[in-house]
Amino acid sequence: MRVVVRIIVISAWIAGAVACRERPHADLRAVEVSMVAQGTTWHAAYLIQKPQGPITEVPTGREVHVPLGAEVTLALSSRDYISDFSLPGLGLRDFAAPGLPSEFRFRAERPGRFTLRGDELCGRPRDEHARGWLVVEDPASFRAWLDRRARAGLG
């Protein structure tokens, strides 16, 4: 009976170690998110280094989460128009144009849900597709959210 219990425990430990090795690993002290404007909307994606493996892109649509206390870089680019990106709740604003990327850099010092806009500057009316969210949350919640996105492959 003891042998069977040991085999079960060792099998569970090995399965857990393999699963942990395959999980994307996000550095909770520094987070970089790619934000690409195209047409009347924009999309965010994280580039996550797997331990001992390739870099994985995790798309997240127009929702960006960052861990509280992290140094954050939002790398901005646009495929077709000059696009204005703003985080009014944090007093941040910049733009990107095709071939002219830019970035926001800030420290996530207060938790909350902040409006994040990516408007094209070509005279088209603004709509819901330009709006998204920046969520600053505790590191455990951030990791759980990112892991769910990585497993689902959703944006």
Side-chain angles (χ1 to χ4, degrees):
M1 185 63 163
R2 284 185 181 179
V3 171
V4 171
V5 170
R6 285 184 181 166
I7 290 172
I8 291 172
V9 168
I10 290 170
S11 298
W13 179 83
I14 290 171
V18 168
C20 285
R21 193 172 42 156
E22 292 300 315
R23 277 176 67 189
H25 172 71
D27 183 353
L28 299 179
R29 296 166 307 204
V31 175
E32 183 170 343
V33 183
S34 168
M35 297 175 50
V36 179
Q38 182 170 10
T40 60
T41 192
W42 55 272
H43 299 280
Y46 294 75
L47 295 177
I48 306 299
Q49 176 70 50
K50 286 186 177 182
Q52 312 292 323
I55 293 176
T56 301
E57 183 174 334
V58 179
T60 64
R62 292 187 316 268
E63 189 167 353
V64 175
H65 287 229
V66 297
L68 187 62
E71 294 294 330
V72 179
T73 301
L74 301 181
L76 312 174
S77 64
S78 179
R79 293 199 174 136
D80 44 18
Y81 300 111
I82 298 172
S83 296
D84 176 62
F85 287 91
S86 63
L87 273 162
L90 299 178
L92 297 170
R93 183 176 184 183
D94 205 343
F95 75 95
L100 185 62
S102 63
E103 62 186 30
F104 286 149
R105 287 182 183 263
F106 65 96
R107 185 173 177 86
E109 294 180 328
R110 63 181 167 132
R113 183 176 170 94
F114 304 93
T115 299
L116 177 55
R117 293 202 55 98
D119 293 303
E120 73 282 347
L121 298 177
C122 65
R124 291 186 177 173
R126 298 179 178 193
D127 64 8
E128 181 178 306
H129 295 292
R131 186 180 66 207
W133 302 102
L134 171 77
V135 178
V136 180
E137 59 194 345
D138 66 272
S141 295
F142 166 73
R143 185 173 301 281
W145 177 82
L146 192 57
D147 284 348
R148 282 192 309 275
R149 292 292 180 155
R151 279 194 308 271
L154 297 175

